[in-house]
Amino acid sequence: MSQIEIINRLEYFYCCIGAFAKRFALSNAQAYRYLVDFKGMDFIDKHYGVEHTQSIEDAVEDMTVICQRNGGRLA
């Protein structure tokens, strides 16, 4: 993976974390910890190829569903 691809992924992840934090009234750190604990970050990393072509809102919704399936209870 090139440096540009890594930077693009990191920027996308940061945007997703921020949008998730805003949706659930969390700090970015709290959102990140939740997404790691309940596999939302794993999902967004694994499916980056498709997810980054959709809206950030769609990504937040997808991460929310994945986290709920893995025991998360924010929504």
Side-chain angles (χ1 to χ4, degrees), residues 9-21 56 60 63:
R9 273 184 182 243
L10 291 173
E11 287 176 350
Y12 179 74
F13 296 159
Y14 185 76
C15 287
C16 289
I17 293 164
F20 190 91
I56 295 295
V60 169
M63 290 188 297

Side-chain angles (χ1 to χ4, degrees), residues 17 29-42 67:
I17 293 164
Q30 289 171 317
Y32 175 75
R33 182 79 269 156
Y34 178 88
L35 290 167
V36 168
D37 289 348
F38 297 106
K39 311 297 183 212
M41 288 304 299
D42 289 344
C67 289

Side-chain angles (χ1 to χ4, degrees), residues 32-58:
Y32 175 75
R33 182 79 269 156
Y34 178 88
L35 290 167
V36 168
D37 289 348
F38 297 106
K39 311 297 183 212
M41 288 304 299
D42 289 344
F43 173 81
I44 208 76
D45 184 33
K46 182 178 180 180
H47 299 286
Y48 171 79
V50 173
E51 289 291 324
H52 88 280
T53 65
Q54 300 177 27
S55 70
I56 295 295
E57 292 79 18
D58 286 342

